[in-house]
Amino acid sequence: ACYMVTHNYGISIIFLVFLVRLVLHPITKKSQINMQQMSKMGPKMEEVKRKYADNPKEMQRQMALVYREQGFSPILGCLPMLLQMPIWIALYTSVDSNVGLRHKGLFPAWIPWLNDLSAPDRLIPFSWFGGSAITIPMLGHVDAFNLLPILLCVAMFFQSKSSMSQTAPTTPEAAQQQKMMLYMMPIMMLVFFFTAPSGLNLYIMASTFAGLIEQKRIKKHLQEQEQLQ
């Protein structure tokens, strides 16, 4: 429907990002509240771990009770991303198989970037410098520098960093795991999507940046509410 108005698939994808973010906003806000609750539970969880260190089964039961008392749900933290997975799959299938999307992009054909949403963005083809395709472990054959997956990686890093800043680790081991995940997730996304169609990369990158802005605004709103109480 959006394409009928804009006649541009790239703009339609960006419009889809804002539409999905608007629909998921209540869940995203609840997820943020959930993460704040988790950070407040840190001392109580440490007390449970010390008290039942010799009884792992009872420790798990007591931790579940703390979660229930605080209204905390572990699944809420990743629910917004999980709900978008079907959209990612559908978009990947669409840009990969829809003939109508081939050679259609965000920019017109005379701009040598993002003019085919069914292919990688290929900002700088190696052929410009007399080079040819190279084989990179885990990426396969690469014949150009793709910018969108890099921007996606950067967006994912800052979104993860913002999320983790709300949940202070309770142990040195947890801090180390959190630090490792901060770098591993963006790297994994870069590997998975470096040669993916630019239409899919455009959606995920725009959604991640939009999510980061939304996250900061919700965080600020919750802080203001706490100050008023």
Side-chain angles (χ1 to χ4, degrees), residues 167-191:
T167 55
T170 56
T171 65
E173 293 79 9
Q176 185 65 28
Q177 290 177 356
Q178 193 178 80
K179 185 177 181 180
M180 185 171 64
M181 287 301 297
L182 176 63
Y183 294 97
M184 284 299 296
M185 276 298 292
I187 291 172
M188 287 172 60
M189 296 293 282
L190 179 63
V191 170

